[in-house]
Amino acid sequence: MRIVEEIQRQIYELGNDGRLVRMQLEELIGGLEKEELLIIKDYMVPTKKKQMPEKILEKLEVLEYEELSNESVIAKLLGYENFDNYDEVGVYTKGYRILNKIPRMPSNIVENLISSFKSFQHILAADIESLDDVEGIGEVRATSIKQSLKRMQDQFMF
């Protein structure tokens, strides 16, 4: 987003000539703000005091480049403990970004899925009956979720 801000300043200086570049930039960054929050939700540690992704994003936005490159700074912001070597810590996505890409998938259903299965890998491995057991998901929606994830898996190989 820092790069986007800099490009927008440059486009402003171009005046009318920058209209096409502005349109291309808007197309490139469409939904990026929402994606940022979903990435944070995917990896933040659930704590007793409810941590808000918006607050974490605000803290990330004020970090200098060197701090953004430091894995321990990012890990602490996301709620991870102090470790000697962050390479040895297993961090797995919860699935917010991918589940939000499933058509007609309300956010409360995404929340129910993630709170029931805890990780995206568990959601991927779940059968239709297990998905059906989640509050707000019936057999039809469970089948739709399974098919959508299968389609994405074939397309993106995750």
Side-chain angles (χ1 to χ4, degrees):
M1 290 307 293
R2 291 179 186 177
I3 294 170
V4 168
E5 290 171 13
E6 181 60 33
I7 292 172
Q8 286 172 334
R9 277 193 287 278
Q10 299 298 323
I11 291 172
Y12 179 76
E13 292 177 11
L14 289 172
N16 282 338
D17 296 335
R19 239 179 47 227
L20 178 60
V21 177
R22 182 177 26 257
M23 288 173 31
Q24 290 173 331
L25 179 65
E26 288 171 7
E27 187 177 323
L28 279 172
I29 64 166
L32 192 58
E33 292 89 359
K34 181 182 177 187
E35 198 79 10
E36 285 177 319
L37 291 174
L38 292 175
I39 290 171
I40 291 170
K41 285 177 80 170
D42 263 346
Y43 294 103
M44 71 183 209
V45 175
T47 57
K48 290 181 178 107
K49 57 177 185 153
K50 191 74 171 151
Q51 215 176 356
M52 300 301 291
E54 294 83 4
K55 296 289 185 195
I56 295 172
L57 183 59
E58 287 174 13
K59 292 176 184 175
L60 283 170
E61 288 172 344
V62 297
L63 293 178
E64 296 296 324
Y65 177 77
E66 292 79 24
E67 293 172 305
L68 280 172
S69 301
N70 186 335
E71 59 196 22
S72 63
V73 171
I74 303 299
K76 286 176 188 168
L77 279 177
L78 292 173
Y80 292 92
E81 300 173 19
N82 290 330
F83 294 99
D84 292 333
N85 186 356
Y86 282 98
D87 293 334
E88 296 174 6
V89 178
V91 178
Y92 303 99
T93 181
K94 293 179 188 97
Y96 282 100
R97 286 174 295 157
I98 295 171
L99 293 171
N100 274 284
K101 292 185 184 344
I102 295 175
R104 297 176 299 284
M105 179 73 108
S107 59
N108 64 326
I109 300 295
V110 170
E111 291 291 340
N112 292 347
L113 267 171
I114 290 170
S115 65
S116 295
F117 289 99
K118 307 295 185 226
S119 81
F120 183 63
Q121 291 303 316
H122 292 132
I123 296 170
L124 271 180
D127 57 13
I128 292 174
E129 292 78 28
S130 300
L131 293 172
D132 188 15
D133 290 341
V134 175
E135 184 181 339
I137 297 179
E139 188 177 338
V140 172
R141 180 168 275 154
T143 304
S144 171
I145 291 169
K146 199 69 180 161
Q147 288 173 346
S148 295
L149 290 175
K150 177 71 173 130
R151 206 171 22 258
M152 286 183 206
Q153 202 170 16
D154 292 342
Q155 186 176 2
F156 300 116
M157 301 299 290
F158 57 78

